[in-house]
mmCIF file of all heavy atoms in Angstrom:
data_model
loop_
_atom_site.group_PDB
_atom_site.id
_atom_site.type_symbol
_atom_site.label_atom_id
_atom_site.label_comp_id
_atom_site.label_asym_id
_atom_site.label_seq_id
_atom_site.Cartn_x
_atom_site.Cartn_y
_atom_site.Cartn_z
ATOM 1 N N ALA A 1 -23.522 54.226 -87.084
ATOM 2 C CA ALA A 1 -22.500 54.479 -86.326
ATOM 3 C C ALA A 1 -21.117 54.557 -87.061
ATOM 4 O O ALA A 1 -20.895 53.866 -87.874
ATOM 5 C CB ALA A 1 -22.298 53.400 -85.292
ATOM 6 N N LEU A 2 -20.490 55.767 -86.867
ATOM 7 C CA LEU A 2 -19.135 55.977 -87.523
ATOM 8 C C LEU A 2 -18.039 55.426 -86.593
ATOM 9 O O LEU A 2 -17.915 55.786 -85.546
ATOM 10 C CB LEU A 2 -18.899 57.421 -87.741
ATOM 11 C CG LEU A 2 -19.913 58.263 -88.592
ATOM 12 C CD1 LEU A 2 -19.383 59.620 -88.932
ATOM 13 C CD2 LEU A 2 -20.266 57.476 -89.825
ATOM 14 N N MET A 3 -17.431 54.281 -87.108
ATOM 15 C CA MET A 3 -16.467 53.545 -86.372
ATOM 16 C C MET A 3 -15.134 54.166 -86.306
ATOM 17 O O MET A 3 -14.537 54.334 -85.205
ATOM 18 C CB MET A 3 -16.326 52.162 -86.787
ATOM 19 C CG MET A 3 -17.591 51.400 -87.040
ATOM 20 S SD MET A 3 -18.760 51.463 -85.666
ATOM 21 C CE MET A 3 -17.733 50.506 -84.521
ATOM 22 N N ARG A 4 -14.601 54.742 -87.397
ATOM 23 C CA ARG A 4 -13.539 55.597 -87.409
ATOM 24 C C ARG A 4 -13.433 56.124 -88.843
ATOM 25 O O ARG A 4 -13.974 55.609 -89.730
ATOM 26 C CB ARG A 4 -12.235 54.676 -87.136
ATOM 27 C CG ARG A 4 -11.975 53.661 -88.158
ATOM 28 C CD ARG A 4 -10.561 52.941 -87.921
ATOM 29 N NE ARG A 4 -10.355 51.771 -88.884
ATOM 30 C CZ ARG A 4 -9.261 51.212 -89.009
ATOM 31 N NH1 ARG A 4 -8.056 51.599 -88.260
ATOM 32 N NH2 ARG A 4 -8.985 50.142 -89.762
ATOM 33 N N LEU A 5 -12.659 57.112 -89.034
ATOM 34 C CA LEU A 5 -12.141 57.770 -90.262
ATOM 35 C C LEU A 5 -10.885 57.087 -90.858
ATOM 36 O O LEU A 5 -10.005 56.715 -89.947
ATOM 37 C CB LEU A 5 -11.917 59.324 -90.152
ATOM 38 C CG LEU A 5 -13.136 60.117 -89.659
ATOM 39 C CD1 LEU A 5 -12.796 61.662 -89.773
ATOM 40 C CD2 LEU A 5 -14.405 59.742 -90.443
ATOM 41 N N LYS A 6 -10.914 56.860 -91.998
ATOM 42 C CA LYS A 6 -9.644 56.258 -92.704
ATOM 43 C C LYS A 6 -8.569 57.199 -92.695
ATOM 44 O O LYS A 6 -8.788 58.457 -92.985
ATOM 45 C CB LYS A 6 -10.070 55.821 -94.212
ATOM 46 C CG LYS A 6 -11.215 54.782 -94.219
ATOM 47 C CD LYS A 6 -10.535 53.423 -93.801
ATOM 48 C CE LYS A 6 -11.610 52.294 -94.260
ATOM 49 N NZ LYS A 6 -11.122 50.999 -93.715
ATOM 50 N N ASP A 7 -7.281 56.855 -92.423
ATOM 51 C CA ASP A 7 -6.184 57.660 -92.397
ATOM 52 C C ASP A 7 -5.384 57.378 -93.766
ATOM 53 O O ASP A 7 -4.709 56.526 -93.988
ATOM 54 C CB ASP A 7 -5.097 57.264 -91.328
ATOM 55 C CG ASP A 7 -3.945 58.113 -91.207
ATOM 56 O OD1 ASP A 7 -3.901 59.220 -91.934
ATOM 57 O OD2 ASP A 7 -3.006 57.844 -90.452
ATOM 58 N N LYS A 8 -5.841 58.218 -94.639
ATOM 59 C CA LYS A 8 -5.511 57.998 -96.178
ATOM 60 C C LYS A 8 -4.289 58.662 -96.638
ATOM 61 O O LYS A 8 -3.791 59.632 -96.060
ATOM 62 C CB LYS A 8 -6.743 58.465 -97.059
ATOM 63 C CG LYS A 8 -8.038 57.942 -96.823
ATOM 64 C CD LYS A 8 -9.139 58.559 -97.471
ATOM 65 C CE LYS A 8 -9.300 59.944 -96.968
ATOM 66 N NZ LYS A 8 -10.542 60.651 -97.608
ATOM 67 N N LEU A 9 -3.628 58.160 -97.680
ATOM 68 C CA LEU A 9 -2.457 58.714 -98.231
ATOM 69 C C LEU A 9 -2.666 60.153 -98.705
ATOM 70 O O LEU A 9 -1.879 60.972 -98.511
ATOM 71 C CB LEU A 9 -2.158 57.774 -99.516
ATOM 72 C CG LEU A 9 -1.019 58.450 -100.477
ATOM 73 C CD1 LEU A 9 0.307 58.491 -99.866
ATOM 74 C CD2 LEU A 9 -0.908 57.633 -101.798
ATOM 75 N N GLY A 10 -3.878 60.388 -99.356
ATOM 76 C CA GLY A 10 -4.147 61.686 -99.861
ATOM 77 C C GLY A 10 -5.694 61.900 -99.666
ATOM 78 O O GLY A 10 -6.269 61.444 -98.685
ATOM 79 N N ASN A 11 -6.307 62.886 -100.628
ATOM 80 C CA ASN A 11 -7.656 62.964 -100.477
ATOM 81 C C ASN A 11 -8.102 63.507 -99.046
ATOM 82 O O ASN A 11 -9.000 63.187 -98.490
ATOM 83 C CB ASN A 11 -8.394 61.857 -100.785
ATOM 84 C CG ASN A 11 -9.756 62.161 -101.602
ATOM 85 O OD1 ASN A 11 -10.870 61.844 -101.005
ATOM 86 N ND2 ASN A 11 -9.769 62.748 -102.710
ATOM 87 N N ARG A 12 -7.211 64.371 -98.463
ATOM 88 C CA ARG A 12 -7.324 64.756 -97.053
ATOM 89 C C ARG A 12 -8.508 65.559 -96.675
ATOM 90 O O ARG A 12 -8.985 65.455 -95.519
ATOM 91 C CB ARG A 12 -5.883 65.218 -96.684
ATOM 92 C CG ARG A 12 -4.896 64.205 -96.717
ATOM 93 C CD ARG A 12 -3.539 64.837 -96.310
ATOM 94 N NE ARG A 12 -2.510 63.820 -96.187
ATOM 95 C CZ ARG A 12 -1.217 64.003 -95.828
ATOM 96 N NH1 ARG A 12 -0.781 65.255 -95.776
ATOM 97 N NH2 ARG A 12 -0.326 62.989 -95.870
ATOM 98 N N ALA A 13 -8.937 66.390 -97.503
ATOM 99 C CA ALA A 13 -10.116 67.282 -97.232
ATOM 100 C C ALA A 13 -11.372 66.599 -97.117
ATOM 101 O O ALA A 13 -12.343 67.022 -96.408
ATOM 102 C CB ALA A 13 -10.214 68.392 -98.252
ATOM 103 N N ASN A 14 -11.477 65.447 -97.624
ATOM 104 C CA ASN A 14 -12.651 64.611 -97.668
ATOM 105 C C ASN A 14 -12.496 63.448 -96.696
ATOM 106 O O ASN A 14 -11.404 62.834 -96.525
ATOM 107 C CB ASN A 14 -12.836 64.025 -99.039
ATOM 108 C CG ASN A 14 -14.077 63.022 -99.112
ATOM 109 O OD1 ASN A 14 -15.118 63.460 -98.650
ATOM 110 N ND2 ASN A 14 -13.841 61.799 -99.676
ATOM 111 N N ALA A 15 -13.691 63.246 -95.926
ATOM 112 C CA ALA A 15 -13.671 62.198 -94.871
ATOM 113 C C ALA A 15 -14.096 60.790 -95.551
ATOM 114 O O ALA A 15 -15.182 60.883 -96.451
ATOM 115 C CB ALA A 15 -14.601 62.494 -93.769
ATOM 116 N N SER A 16 -13.425 59.733 -95.341
ATOM 117 C CA SER A 16 -13.839 58.399 -95.661
ATOM 118 C C SER A 16 -13.964 57.701 -94.332
ATOM 119 O O SER A 16 -13.008 57.768 -93.477
ATOM 120 C CB SER A 16 -12.921 57.734 -96.628
ATOM 121 O OG SER A 16 -12.865 58.533 -97.696
ATOM 122 N N ALA A 17 -14.934 56.764 -94.076
ATOM 123 C CA ALA A 17 -15.364 56.162 -92.887
ATOM 124 C C ALA A 17 -15.550 54.693 -93.002
ATOM 125 O O ALA A 17 -15.967 54.232 -93.983
ATOM 126 C CB ALA A 17 -16.369 56.818 -92.175
ATOM 127 N N GLU A 18 -15.380 54.082 -91.882
ATOM 128 C CA GLU A 18 -15.974 52.644 -91.648
ATOM 129 C C GLU A 18 -17.221 52.911 -90.862
ATOM 130 O O GLU A 18 -17.286 53.667 -89.982
ATOM 131 C CB GLU A 18 -15.011 51.863 -90.793
ATOM 132 C CG GLU A 18 -13.733 51.472 -91.537
ATOM 133 C CD GLU A 18 -12.718 50.801 -90.684
ATOM 134 O OE1 GLU A 18 -13.185 50.016 -89.674
ATOM 135 O OE2 GLU A 18 -11.514 51.000 -90.859
ATOM 136 N N ILE A 19 -18.311 52.283 -91.228
ATOM 137 C CA ILE A 19 -19.640 52.580 -90.595
ATOM 138 C C ILE A 19 -20.263 51.256 -90.197
ATOM 139 O O ILE A 19 -19.925 50.213 -90.806
ATOM 140 C CB ILE A 19 -20.575 53.414 -91.440
ATOM 141 C CG1 ILE A 19 -20.975 52.689 -92.675
ATOM 142 C CG2 ILE A 19 -19.902 54.782 -91.798
ATOM 143 C CD1 ILE A 19 -22.146 53.376 -93.470
ATOM 144 N N GLU A 20 -21.228 51.308 -89.332
ATOM 145 C CA GLU A 20 -22.138 50.163 -89.065
ATOM 146 C C GLU A 20 -23.506 50.560 -89.174
ATOM 147 O O GLU A 20 -23.865 51.699 -88.635
ATOM 148 C CB GLU A 20 -21.689 49.581 -87.662
ATOM 149 C CG GLU A 20 -20.456 48.770 -87.686
ATOM 150 C CD GLU A 20 -20.288 48.107 -86.253
ATOM 151 O OE1 GLU A 20 -21.152 48.216 -85.359
ATOM 152 O OE2 GLU A 20 -19.295 47.323 -86.186
ATOM 153 N N TYR A 21 -24.354 49.852 -89.746
ATOM 154 C CA TYR A 21 -25.886 49.915 -89.685
ATOM 155 C C TYR A 21 -26.186 49.038 -88.530
ATOM 156 O O TYR A 21 -26.139 47.882 -88.449
ATOM 157 C CB TYR A 21 -26.387 49.282 -90.951
ATOM 158 C CG TYR A 21 -26.096 50.047 -92.207
ATOM 159 C CD1 TYR A 21 -25.624 49.305 -93.299
ATOM 160 C CD2 TYR A 21 -26.033 51.526 -92.315
ATOM 161 C CE1 TYR A 21 -25.267 50.047 -94.556
ATOM 162 C CE2 TYR A 21 -25.631 52.132 -93.430
ATOM 163 C CZ TYR A 21 -25.244 51.398 -94.630
ATOM 164 O OH TYR A 21 -24.912 51.923 -95.761
ATOM 165 N N GLN A 22 -26.800 49.737 -87.513
ATOM 166 C CA GLN A 22 -27.095 49.072 -86.308
ATOM 167 C C GLN A 22 -28.808 49.112 -86.207
ATOM 168 O O GLN A 22 -29.403 49.677 -85.316
ATOM 169 C CB GLN A 22 -26.518 49.740 -85.018
ATOM 170 C CG GLN A 22 -25.110 49.682 -85.098
ATOM 171 C CD GLN A 22 -24.443 50.397 -84.094
ATOM 172 O OE1 GLN A 22 -25.071 51.349 -83.372
ATOM 173 N NE2 GLN A 22 -23.129 50.182 -83.747
ATOM 174 N N GLY A 23 -29.341 48.476 -87.233
ATOM 175 C CA GLY A 23 -30.838 48.490 -87.384
ATOM 176 C C GLY A 23 -31.215 49.786 -88.023
ATOM 177 O O GLY A 23 -32.346 50.344 -87.792
ATOM 178 N N ALA A 24 -30.427 50.347 -88.939
ATOM 179 C CA ALA A 24 -30.681 51.581 -89.601
ATOM 180 C C ALA A 24 -31.891 51.449 -90.605
ATOM 181 O O ALA A 24 -32.012 50.497 -91.319
ATOM 182 C CB ALA A 24 -29.465 52.029 -90.431
ATOM 183 N N PHE A 25 -32.681 52.455 -90.519
ATOM 184 C CA PHE A 25 -33.870 52.526 -91.399
ATOM 185 C C PHE A 25 -33.392 52.825 -92.925
ATOM 186 O O PHE A 25 -32.521 53.631 -93.121
ATOM 187 C CB PHE A 25 -34.911 53.588 -90.966
ATOM 188 C CG PHE A 25 -36.110 53.704 -91.887
ATOM 189 C CD1 PHE A 25 -37.176 52.854 -91.722
ATOM 190 C CD2 PHE A 25 -36.199 54.663 -92.902
ATOM 191 C CE1 PHE A 25 -38.225 52.872 -92.579
ATOM 192 C CE2 PHE A 25 -37.255 54.801 -93.670
ATOM 193 C CZ PHE A 25 -38.350 53.946 -93.602
ATOM 194 N N ALA A 26 -34.054 52.199 -93.868
ATOM 195 C CA ALA A 26 -33.791 52.399 -95.203
ATOM 196 C C ALA A 26 -34.934 52.108 -96.099
ATOM 197 O O ALA A 26 -35.884 51.394 -95.814
ATOM 198 C CB ALA A 26 -32.729 51.252 -95.560
ATOM 199 N N HIS A 27 -34.849 52.785 -97.265
ATOM 200 C CA HIS A 27 -35.905 52.466 -98.401
ATOM 201 C C HIS A 27 -35.343 51.596 -99.392
ATOM 202 O O HIS A 27 -34.128 51.735 -99.805
ATOM 203 C CB HIS A 27 -36.233 53.848 -99.077
ATOM 204 C CG HIS A 27 -36.697 54.965 -98.167
ATOM 205 N ND1 HIS A 27 -37.997 55.022 -97.732
ATOM 206 C CD2 HIS A 27 -36.032 56.005 -97.611
ATOM 207 C CE1 HIS A 27 -38.078 56.114 -96.849
ATOM 208 N NE2 HIS A 27 -36.913 56.790 -96.877
ATOM 209 N N ARG A 28 -36.110 50.626 -99.867
ATOM 210 C CA ARG A 28 -35.553 49.803 -100.922
ATOM 211 C C ARG A 28 -35.701 50.515 -102.222
ATOM 212 O O ARG A 28 -36.655 51.191 -102.580
ATOM 213 C CB ARG A 28 -36.436 48.535 -101.006
ATOM 214 C CG ARG A 28 -35.884 47.375 -101.808
ATOM 215 C CD ARG A 28 -36.861 46.236 -102.047
ATOM 216 N NE ARG A 28 -37.736 46.610 -103.094
ATOM 217 C CZ ARG A 28 -38.996 46.200 -103.236
ATOM 218 N NH1 ARG A 28 -39.496 45.526 -102.265
ATOM 219 N NH2 ARG A 28 -39.789 46.536 -104.190
ATOM 220 N N LEU A 29 -34.595 50.327 -103.069
ATOM 221 C CA LEU A 29 -34.594 50.909 -104.449
ATOM 222 C C LEU A 29 -34.549 49.634 -105.371
ATOM 223 O O LEU A 29 -33.660 48.869 -105.264
ATOM 224 C CB LEU A 29 -33.427 51.746 -104.657
ATOM 225 C CG LEU A 29 -33.412 53.252 -104.120
ATOM 226 C CD1 LEU A 29 -32.092 53.883 -104.430
ATOM 227 C CD2 LEU A 29 -34.634 54.021 -104.580
ATOM 228 N N GLY A 30 -35.440 49.636 -106.353
ATOM 229 C CA GLY A 30 -35.548 48.582 -107.381
ATOM 230 C C GLY A 30 -35.999 47.299 -106.738
ATOM 231 O O GLY A 30 -36.412 47.225 -105.621
ATOM 232 N N GLU A 31 -35.958 46.326 -107.590
ATOM 233 C CA GLU A 31 -36.412 44.864 -107.218
ATOM 234 C C GLU A 31 -35.491 44.225 -106.192
ATOM 235 O O GLU A 31 -34.251 44.424 -106.188
ATOM 236 C CB GLU A 31 -36.566 44.074 -108.414
ATOM 237 C CG GLU A 31 -37.549 44.588 -109.443
ATOM 238 C CD GLU A 31 -37.566 43.607 -110.642
ATOM 239 O OE1 GLU A 31 -37.344 42.423 -110.545
ATOM 240 O OE2 GLU A 31 -37.974 44.201 -111.639
ATOM 241 N N GLU A 32 -36.036 43.436 -105.291
ATOM 242 C CA GLU A 32 -35.261 42.650 -104.465
ATOM 243 C C GLU A 32 -34.513 41.670 -105.310
ATOM 244 O O GLU A 32 -34.901 41.204 -106.280
ATOM 245 C CB GLU A 32 -36.084 41.796 -103.530
ATOM 246 C CG GLU A 32 -36.687 42.678 -102.318
ATOM 247 C CD GLU A 32 -37.432 41.666 -101.396
ATOM 248 O OE1 GLU A 32 -36.799 40.913 -100.744
ATOM 249 O OE2 GLU A 32 -38.653 41.941 -101.275
ATOM 250 N N GLY A 33 -33.236 41.539 -104.833
ATOM 251 C CA GLY A 33 -32.264 40.616 -105.516
ATOM 252 C C GLY A 33 -31.566 41.108 -106.825
ATOM 253 O O GLY A 33 -30.850 40.468 -107.483
ATOM 254 N N ARG A 34 -31.940 42.468 -107.181
ATOM 255 C CA ARG A 34 -31.260 43.120 -108.218
ATOM 256 C C ARG A 34 -30.496 44.279 -107.818
ATOM 257 O O ARG A 34 -30.538 45.471 -108.500
ATOM 258 C CB ARG A 34 -32.270 43.423 -109.343
ATOM 259 C CG ARG A 34 -32.882 42.300 -110.029
ATOM 260 C CD ARG A 34 -33.786 42.646 -111.234
ATOM 261 N NE ARG A 34 -33.139 43.553 -112.203
ATOM 262 C CZ ARG A 34 -32.241 43.286 -113.069
ATOM 263 N NH1 ARG A 34 -31.736 42.005 -113.172
ATOM 264 N NH2 ARG A 34 -31.712 44.233 -113.804
ATOM 265 N N GLY A 35 -29.821 44.260 -106.738
ATOM 266 C CA GLY A 35 -29.120 45.338 -106.213
ATOM 267 C C GLY A 35 -28.063 45.909 -107.058
ATOM 268 O O GLY A 35 -27.896 47.153 -107.232
ATOM 269 N N ILE A 36 -27.179 44.909 -107.526
ATOM 270 C CA ILE A 36 -26.089 45.421 -108.365
ATOM 271 C C ILE A 36 -26.616 46.164 -109.724
ATOM 272 O O ILE A 36 -26.094 47.205 -110.052
ATOM 273 C CB ILE A 36 -25.222 44.264 -108.733
ATOM 274 C CG1 ILE A 36 -24.489 43.766 -107.426
ATOM 275 C CG2 ILE A 36 -24.051 44.582 -109.838
ATOM 276 C CD1 ILE A 36 -23.583 42.565 -107.626
#
């Protein structure tokens, strides 16, 4: 879910958003616990 777009100082052609994962499907990448 896209909650809202950020009202930014610049970078206006590009959208930046606040989002929520509401049970979103995902693939794990790499080992568990080594996300960073």
Side-chain angles (χ1 to χ4, degrees):
L2 303 190
M3 310 309 292
R4 63 171 176 167
L5 299 186
K6 297 289 193 182
D7 187 6
K8 299 172 293 186
L9 168 68
N11 212 242
R12 292 179 175 175
N14 177 52
S16 301
E18 297 170 30
I19 69 171
E20 285 187 356
Y21 300 133
Q22 300 174 344
F25 178 81
H27 304 283
R28 194 190 78 210
L29 281 182
E31 300 177 25
E32 286 188 61
R34 289 190 50 78
I36 293 178

